[in-house]
Amino acid sequence: MRRSFKWLDVDWVMLGSAMVLSAIGILIIRSAAGSGGASVFAERQAYWLGIALAAYLVGYFVDRRHLRRSAYVLYALVLLALVALMLVGRLQGGVHRWIHVGGMTFQPSELAKLTLILCLARYFHKIKAKPPLGITEILIPFLLVAGYAIPVALQPDLGTAMFLVLLSVPLFLMMGLERPTVISLTIIAAMVAPIMFFSLKDYQRERILNFLSPGRDPLGTGYHVVQSKIAIGSGGLFGKGYLQGTQSQLQFIPEQHTDFIFSVLAEEFGFAGVLVVIGLLLFISLWMLSYLEVAKTKFAVLTVVGITCGFALQSVINIAMVAGILPVVGLPLPLISYGGSSLVTTFLGLGIVAGYRRRRT
Amino acid sequence: MTRLVKSSKDSISGLERKIAVTVLSIILPFLLLLVNFWNMQVLDRSRYQRLADNNRIRLVDMPATRGIITDRNGVIIADSSPQFDVVVIPEDMSKDRQSEIENLAALLGREPKDALDRFTGADRAPYRAIRIFEQLEEREVAQFETARDSFPGAFLLTTPRRYYPFGTTASHLLGYVGEISDSQLASGDFEGARQGDLVGKFGLEKVFDGYLRGRDGGRQVEVDARGREINILGITEPVPGANMSLTIDIRLQKELEDSLGENFGAGVLLDVRTGEVLAMVSRPGFDPNEFSLRMSRERWQEILKDPSHPLQSRAIRGLYPPGSTFKVVTATASLMEGTLDAGEQLFCSGGYRYGRRTYRDWKLSGHGKVDLMRGIVESCDVYFYQAGERLGIDSIAKWALELGLGNITGIDLPGELAGLIPSTEWKQAAKGEPWYPGETLSAAIGQGYVLVTPLQLANLYATIARRGEVMKPFLVKRIETVNGAELYRRDPAVAREMKVDGRIWDSLIPALAGVVSDDHGTGRALRMVDLSVAGKTGTAQVVRLEEWQNKKETDIPKVLRDHAWFAAFAPVNRPLLASSVLVEHGGHGASAAAPLVARIFRKYLDLYEIPADGDSDVPEEVP
C-alpha cells in the first residue's frame, strides 16, 4: 500500500471554502459580541480555527482502516465524557456541557455528532444480514444512538439530543428499512413524544409552544425570535453595513454570537450576505457528497453520507430557527457560530471526508 | 472474499438512486431557505424596517447590590445603600442633547462637564441608559421630579452604592471600589462585568470581588414617544453579592487608629489562639467613600502624589528595621545553636570594640554583667553584639526565617511584602560584595539590612506566645450568600511548627515578661493590674548625619528621629493577644510605641472578658 502523503493532495477547494466561511464567522462574531470585550470572542475563535486546521489534517491523513477499527473506542471515550458531565450536572445542578482541559473548554456533545456517525458506519459495515433491515438488526444501532442522546438530553441539552437522533436517520435510510420496521418506529415515536414533552424543562416547553403558536408570548421567549426576524427583514438586499446593525448592536437578539449569529449576518450584510453563506454551505455539502464516487467500502459511503447530511442538516436547522421557521433548539451554525468544539469537530469531519480522495492515488 | 463483497459499497442496494435522493434532499431545503430570506429581506423589507425603526425597546441596567462587609460582631463596615442617579437614554432625548444636559446640570446645581464627557466619550448604544449624575440629594430628587417633563429621555434610577460608615477606619483592609478599567475589562478576570461597573480595586474589596460583586440584571422596557416606560418586556433580576464577615473588631480598629493620632505608622493586634486579625492599622489612611463615586482626575493625582503615601498599607508593606525587638531572634538562635547559655554572663561597658570600630550601647554607662534575662529586660546592645559575633550572620538568618521573618505571613490581602533577612549569600547576590563581620553585629540588634513589616513582627510575637507554632493571620472569616449559604469559611489552623527545642521558651518568655514587670525593664509602660504582658521595645535607626549623633531625641527634627517599635503578647501564661506598633519617627519605643500597645490591650480588656488570670499556671480545664 502506498503511503506518500503529499501536501498538494489536500482538497484545497473544500478547505478554502470552509476557511472563507470561518473567516466570515469571525468577522460577524466581532460585530455580534458587542462593545466592551468584543474582540475577545473573535480572537478566541481565531485560535480555535488554528486548532481546527490541525484537526482537518488529522482527519485527512488518518488511515482509513484505523479509523474504522477505532470507531467503537472513540464512541466509548466520548460516551464516558458525556456520562461524566451528566453526573456532574445531576450532582451540582445547572447546565454542564463543557469539559475543561488546561485553559480551554471543550463540549463533548459536539464531538459526539462525529463519533456517532463513525460508530454507526462501522456497525453497518460489518453487518451480516441483507438489507432492508428488520427490527433485530437495528436494535444495536438504536442502542448506540440512545447511548448518546440520553446523557445529552439529561445535561440538559434537548436540542442536541434530538439532533443526534436525527443524524442517524440518513444512515438507516441508506441501509434501507423494512416496511413493518418503519411503521412500528412511527408508532413508538408517536407514543414517546407526549411523554418527552411533559418531562421537558419549563423553558424548553415554552419554546415549543411558542413555536406552535407564534405571538403566544411575545414578551418572553417568542420576543427574541421576533427581534431576530426584525433584524433579518430590516437588513434588506445589501444590509445595514458591518457593525451597523441596529438590532444586533443593541443586543436585542439573544445568543447572537452563537446560535443566532445568522441574524446578525442577515441584518448587516443583507440578502447578499445570506446568499453567499448559504451558497457556500450548500456548495461544501455537495462537494462532500461527490466523494461517494471514490468511496470503496460501505464504511466509507456511510461516513461520507453521515457527515455530509449532518453538516447540511445542522446548517438548515440553525438558519430556519433564526428565521422563525423552526423552534429555538440551540444548535450552532457550522463554521460560523462562535464555539471551538463545533469548529474543530466540523473541520475534523471535513478532513475525514477529504481523506477518501487520497486513497485513489 | 465474501467478506470483501459484503462490506464493499456494492452491498448497498440501489445506491445510485439513494445518492440522487440525498443530493436533492440537501439542495431543496437550502433553496427553500433562500426563498424565505428573499421574501423577508426583499419583499417584506419595508415592514421589518418600520419595526426596526420604531423599536421602542430600551435597556435599563439593574445593578446588583454589592455584598456587605461586617466586623467580627456583625457591625456593618461596608454597606450598600440605595442612591438616586439620573440616567438618560440618548435616543429619547431632545435634538440638542448638549443643552439638555447643561440645563439639567444647572437645575441640579452640578457641573455639566463630567456628564457630557460620559455622554459623548464612549461608543454607547443609543438605546442603553447612561448614568450622568450620581447620588442625588433629596432636594435634587424633588427638583428633578417637578421639572421632569422638560427633560425627555432622562429619568431617575435607583442604584446601590458602596458606603463605608466608618470612613477612614480600616481603609487599607477594606480597600475601595471603583469603575472597572479597560485593562481590567479586557483581562477577563471580572466575569460578567461591563463597562461602567464598580469593581473592587484594592484591599479585600479587590481580593474577594468575585464573591462581593454579584451579577447585574436589567430590564427591557417599551417606552412611549416621550421616553416614558409603558411596559416591561423582560426582566433579569440582579443577583446580589455575598456578604463577608471579618475577624476585626471595629472598636479595636478604631482605638488603635486613634491612638496613633496624627503620627504615621502601623499597628497590628492578633488573636494568638486563632491567628485572627483583631485590628490592623496603617496611617495615614484614606476615605474609601471618595472612591465609590467617580473621582476626578485631579483628586486621584493628588492622592497618588501625596508624599505620605496614604494608599500604602504600611502594616503589610511598610519595611522597617526591627531594632531591639529582633533581639529575641538572636537569643533564639544563640540558644538553639548552643553558642550561648541562658545563664552565661557577658560584660557590658557601654560599648563593644570590634575590629577598628566601637559598637556603642544605647546606655553609655554600660549595663555591667548581663545574662540573657538582663540582656533582654534592659535591652543591652553589647550583650547581643557578642551573641551575634558568636553566631555569625547565617545562623541568625536561619533562625529568623524559622521564626517566620523574611517571608510573607500569607495573610489574605494582596501585596504583602516579605521583608529582608540578610545572609552572606544574599549580600553577594544583591550587592556583589562579601559580608563584613561587623555587619553581623548590627544585624544582631535588628539594625542594618534587616527589614520587617509590622504584621510580621506581631506574628513573630504570636509565634513566641504559642511556643513555636507559626500561625497564618487572616481577616476574612466567612462569606455567605444573602440566603445564608456558606461560600467560604476560614478555620484557624497552625500553619507550621518550628523545629525548635521547647525549653528555650522557658528562658525567653520570662525575659520578655521582665521587660514589662522588672523595674529596669524598658516596657514598664505596659504594667497593668489585671493583665500580665511580655514584650520588647525597639528603636529603628533612621540614617542621619553625624551632627545629630549625640543630641537628645526630642531636639532632632521629626523626620530624622528614629522609628519607635513595641511588640508584645499577653497574658504571659495563657496568651490571647499579640500586638506590634510602629510609630514612624516616634523616637524611643519605650516612650512612643509601648503606650499604644498598652492602650489597645486595655481596650480589649474593656470589651472582652479574659478567662482567668494569665499568671496562674493552673489550666482552665481542671475543675
Side-chain angles (χ1 to χ4, degrees), chain B residues 259 263 521-526 536-539 553-554 561-566 581 583 585-598:
Chain B
S259 68
N263 285 310
T522 51
R524 295 186 299 273
L526 271 106
K536 185 74 197 75
T537 52
T539 304
E553 200 66 27
T554 43
R561 281 184 219 163
D562 292 334
H563 300 319
W565 275 111
F566 197 80
V581 164
V583 184
H585 309 299
H588 288 301
S591 54
L596 273 57
V597 174

Short mmCIF file of all heavy atoms in Angstrom, two decimals, chain B residues 259 263 521-526 536-539 553-554 561-566 581 583 585-598:
data_model
loop_
_atom_site.label_atom_id
_atom_site.label_comp_id
_atom_site.label_asym_id
_atom_site.label_seq_id
_atom_site.Cartn_x
_atom_site.Cartn_y
_atom_site.Cartn_z
N SER B 259 -5.18 55.96 68.58
CA SER B 259 -4.00 56.09 69.43
C SER B 259 -2.78 56.55 68.62
O SER B 259 -1.89 57.18 69.15
CB SER B 259 -3.71 54.78 70.16
OG SER B 259 -3.30 53.81 69.22
N ASN B 263 0.31 60.70 63.96
CA ASN B 263 1.55 60.02 63.59
C ASN B 263 1.34 59.11 62.40
O ASN B 263 0.26 58.57 62.19
CB ASN B 263 2.05 59.18 64.76
CG ASN B 263 2.66 60.04 65.84
OD1 ASN B 263 3.50 60.89 65.56
ND2 ASN B 263 2.20 59.86 67.06
N GLY B 521 13.12 47.35 83.40
CA GLY B 521 12.63 46.96 82.08
C GLY B 521 12.29 48.18 81.23
O GLY B 521 11.91 49.23 81.74
N THR B 522 12.43 48.01 79.91
CA THR B 522 12.16 49.12 79.00
C THR B 522 10.68 49.25 78.67
O THR B 522 10.26 50.23 78.08
CB THR B 522 12.94 48.94 77.69
OG1 THR B 522 12.68 47.63 77.20
CG2 THR B 522 14.42 49.13 77.91
N GLY B 523 9.88 48.25 79.05
CA GLY B 523 8.47 48.29 78.69
C GLY B 523 7.56 48.51 79.89
O GLY B 523 6.45 47.98 79.95
N ARG B 524 8.04 49.30 80.85
CA ARG B 524 7.26 49.46 82.09
C ARG B 524 5.90 50.10 81.83
O ARG B 524 4.99 49.97 82.63
CB ARG B 524 8.06 50.30 83.10
CG ARG B 524 9.33 49.59 83.58
CD ARG B 524 10.01 50.37 84.67
NE ARG B 524 10.44 51.70 84.24
CZ ARG B 524 11.61 51.95 83.65
NH1 ARG B 524 12.45 50.97 83.41
NH2 ARG B 524 11.92 53.17 83.29
N ALA B 525 5.79 50.80 80.67
CA ALA B 525 4.51 51.46 80.36
C ALA B 525 3.36 50.47 80.28
O ALA B 525 2.20 50.84 80.36
CB ALA B 525 4.63 52.22 79.04
N LEU B 526 3.69 49.18 80.11
CA LEU B 526 2.62 48.20 79.95
C LEU B 526 2.22 47.51 81.23
O LEU B 526 1.44 46.56 81.21
CB LEU B 526 3.03 47.15 78.91
CG LEU B 526 2.61 47.63 77.53
CD1 LEU B 526 3.80 48.08 76.74
CD2 LEU B 526 1.80 46.59 76.83
N LYS B 536 8.68 43.62 73.98
CA LYS B 536 10.02 44.16 73.75
C LYS B 536 9.91 45.49 73.04
O LYS B 536 9.14 45.63 72.09
CB LYS B 536 10.82 43.16 72.90
CG LYS B 536 12.27 43.51 72.68
CD LYS B 536 13.12 43.28 73.92
CE LYS B 536 14.46 44.02 73.83
NZ LYS B 536 14.30 45.47 74.04
N THR B 537 10.71 46.43 73.50
CA THR B 537 10.79 47.72 72.82
C THR B 537 11.76 47.61 71.66
O THR B 537 12.58 46.70 71.60
CB THR B 537 11.34 48.80 73.76
OG1 THR B 537 12.55 48.31 74.32
CG2 THR B 537 10.35 49.13 74.85
N GLY B 538 11.68 48.58 70.77
CA GLY B 538 12.64 48.61 69.68
C GLY B 538 12.73 50.02 69.14
O GLY B 538 11.77 50.79 69.19
N THR B 539 13.94 50.33 68.65
CA THR B 539 14.13 51.64 68.05
C THR B 539 14.85 51.41 66.73
O THR B 539 15.96 50.86 66.71
CB THR B 539 14.99 52.53 68.97
OG1 THR B 539 14.34 52.60 70.24
CG2 THR B 539 15.13 53.92 68.39
N GLU B 553 16.84 62.96 71.57
CA GLU B 553 15.89 62.62 70.50
C GLU B 553 14.91 63.78 70.24
O GLU B 553 14.57 64.08 69.10
CB GLU B 553 15.13 61.35 70.89
CG GLU B 553 14.49 60.61 69.75
CD GLU B 553 15.46 59.99 68.76
OE1 GLU B 553 16.61 59.67 69.12
OE2 GLU B 553 15.07 59.86 67.59
N THR B 554 14.47 64.43 71.31
CA THR B 554 13.46 65.48 71.15
C THR B 554 14.02 66.74 70.50
O THR B 554 13.27 67.60 70.03
CB THR B 554 12.86 65.86 72.51
OG1 THR B 554 13.92 65.95 73.47
CG2 THR B 554 11.83 64.83 72.96
N ARG B 561 14.12 61.63 63.32
CA ARG B 561 14.05 60.81 64.54
C ARG B 561 13.87 59.34 64.20
O ARG B 561 13.35 58.99 63.15
CB ARG B 561 12.84 61.26 65.39
CG ARG B 561 13.14 62.52 66.18
CD ARG B 561 11.96 62.83 67.06
NE ARG B 561 11.75 64.27 67.09
CZ ARG B 561 10.62 64.83 67.50
NH1 ARG B 561 9.60 64.09 67.88
NH2 ARG B 561 10.52 66.14 67.51
N ASP B 562 14.27 58.49 65.12
CA ASP B 562 14.16 57.05 64.91
C ASP B 562 12.70 56.60 64.93
O ASP B 562 11.84 57.26 65.49
CB ASP B 562 14.92 56.31 66.01
CG ASP B 562 16.42 56.53 65.89
OD1 ASP B 562 16.88 56.80 64.76
OD2 ASP B 562 17.11 56.46 66.92
N HIS B 563 12.46 55.42 64.31
CA HIS B 563 11.14 54.81 64.39
C HIS B 563 11.03 54.07 65.71
O HIS B 563 11.97 53.41 66.14
CB HIS B 563 10.94 53.81 63.26
CG HIS B 563 11.05 54.41 61.89
ND1 HIS B 563 10.52 55.63 61.57
CD2 HIS B 563 11.63 53.94 60.76
CE1 HIS B 563 10.76 55.90 60.30
NE2 HIS B 563 11.45 54.89 59.78
N ALA B 564 9.86 54.16 66.32
CA ALA B 564 9.67 53.51 67.62
C ALA B 564 8.84 52.24 67.45
O ALA B 564 7.81 52.24 66.78
CB ALA B 564 8.96 54.47 68.57
N TRP B 565 9.28 51.15 68.07
CA TRP B 565 8.60 49.86 67.99
C TRP B 565 8.17 49.39 69.37
O TRP B 565 8.86 49.62 70.35
CB TRP B 565 9.55 48.77 67.51
CG TRP B 565 9.79 48.56 66.06
CD1 TRP B 565 10.94 48.80 65.38
CD2 TRP B 565 8.89 47.96 65.12
NE1 TRP B 565 10.82 48.42 64.08
CE2 TRP B 565 9.56 47.90 63.89
CE3 TRP B 565 7.57 47.50 65.19
CZ2 TRP B 565 8.98 47.39 62.74
CZ3 TRP B 565 6.99 46.99 64.06
CH2 TRP B 565 7.69 46.94 62.84
N PHE B 566 7.08 48.70 69.43
CA PHE B 566 6.84 47.83 70.56
C PHE B 566 6.09 46.60 70.06
O PHE B 566 5.15 46.72 69.26
CB PHE B 566 6.05 48.51 71.68
CG PHE B 566 6.15 47.77 72.98
CD1 PHE B 566 7.27 47.90 73.79
CD2 PHE B 566 5.14 46.90 73.40
CE1 PHE B 566 7.40 47.18 74.98
CE2 PHE B 566 5.25 46.18 74.58
CZ PHE B 566 6.39 46.33 75.38
N VAL B 581 3.36 47.64 67.35
CA VAL B 581 3.05 49.00 66.94
C VAL B 581 4.33 49.65 66.47
O VAL B 581 5.38 49.48 67.08
CB VAL B 581 2.43 49.81 68.10
CG1 VAL B 581 2.47 51.30 67.80
CG2 VAL B 581 1.00 49.36 68.36
N VAL B 583 5.70 53.43 65.31
CA VAL B 583 5.44 54.86 65.11
C VAL B 583 6.61 55.43 64.34
O VAL B 583 7.74 55.44 64.83
CB VAL B 583 5.27 55.59 66.46
CG1 VAL B 583 4.91 57.06 66.23
CG2 VAL B 583 4.20 54.91 67.30
N HIS B 585 9.25 57.78 63.09
CA HIS B 585 9.91 58.93 63.67
C HIS B 585 9.36 59.24 65.06
O HIS B 585 9.25 60.39 65.45
CB HIS B 585 9.78 60.16 62.77
CG HIS B 585 10.18 59.88 61.36
ND1 HIS B 585 11.46 59.48 61.01
CD2 HIS B 585 9.47 59.90 60.20
CE1 HIS B 585 11.52 59.29 59.70
NE2 HIS B 585 10.33 59.51 59.19
N GLY B 586 9.00 58.20 65.77
CA GLY B 586 8.40 58.40 67.10
C GLY B 586 9.45 58.55 68.18
O GLY B 586 9.14 58.92 69.31
N GLY B 587 10.72 58.25 67.87
CA GLY B 587 11.76 58.31 68.88
C GLY B 587 11.94 56.95 69.52
O GLY B 587 12.09 55.96 68.81
N HIS B 588 11.89 56.88 70.84
CA HIS B 588 12.14 55.61 71.52
C HIS B 588 10.90 54.76 71.63
O HIS B 588 9.81 55.27 71.89
CB HIS B 588 12.70 55.87 72.92
CG HIS B 588 14.11 56.37 72.87
ND1 HIS B 588 15.13 55.66 72.30
CD2 HIS B 588 14.65 57.52 73.30
CE1 HIS B 588 16.24 56.36 72.37
NE2 HIS B 588 15.98 57.51 72.97
N GLY B 589 11.09 53.45 71.46
CA GLY B 589 9.98 52.52 71.56
C GLY B 589 9.30 52.60 72.90
O GLY B 589 8.06 52.55 73.00
N ALA B 590 10.11 52.74 73.95
CA ALA B 590 9.56 52.74 75.29
C ALA B 590 8.56 53.87 75.49
O ALA B 590 7.52 53.70 76.11
CB ALA B 590 10.69 52.83 76.31
N SER B 591 8.90 55.05 74.94
CA SER B 591 8.04 56.19 75.21
C SER B 591 6.98 56.40 74.14
O SER B 591 5.87 56.85 74.43
CB SER B 591 8.90 57.46 75.34
OG SER B 591 9.71 57.58 74.18
N ALA B 592 7.29 56.05 72.89
CA ALA B 592 6.36 56.38 71.81
C ALA B 592 5.43 55.23 71.43
O ALA B 592 4.25 55.46 71.14
CB ALA B 592 7.13 56.84 70.58
N ALA B 593 5.94 53.99 71.45
CA ALA B 593 5.13 52.89 70.95
C ALA B 593 4.49 52.07 72.05
O ALA B 593 3.33 51.64 71.93
CB ALA B 593 5.98 51.98 70.06
N ALA B 594 5.22 51.84 73.14
CA ALA B 594 4.69 50.98 74.21
C ALA B 594 3.33 51.45 74.75
O ALA B 594 2.43 50.63 74.94
CB ALA B 594 5.71 50.85 75.33
N PRO B 595 3.14 52.76 74.97
CA PRO B 595 1.84 53.18 75.50
C PRO B 595 0.67 52.84 74.56
O PRO B 595 -0.45 52.63 75.00
CB PRO B 595 1.99 54.70 75.63
CG PRO B 595 3.46 54.95 75.68
CD PRO B 595 4.08 53.87 74.85
N LEU B 596 0.97 52.81 73.26
CA LEU B 596 -0.11 52.50 72.31
C LEU B 596 -0.55 51.04 72.44
O LEU B 596 -1.73 50.72 72.36
CB LEU B 596 0.36 52.78 70.87
CG LEU B 596 0.18 54.21 70.37
CD1 LEU B 596 0.88 55.21 71.27
CD2 LEU B 596 0.67 54.34 68.94
N VAL B 597 0.45 50.17 72.63
CA VAL B 597 0.12 48.76 72.83
C VAL B 597 -0.66 48.61 74.13
O VAL B 597 -1.66 47.88 74.20
CB VAL B 597 1.40 47.88 72.84
CG1 VAL B 597 1.06 46.44 73.18
CG2 VAL B 597 2.10 47.96 71.49
N ALA B 598 -0.22 49.35 75.15
CA ALA B 598 -0.94 49.31 76.43
C ALA B 598 -2.39 49.72 76.22
O ALA B 598 -3.32 49.10 76.75
CB ALA B 598 -0.26 50.24 77.43
#
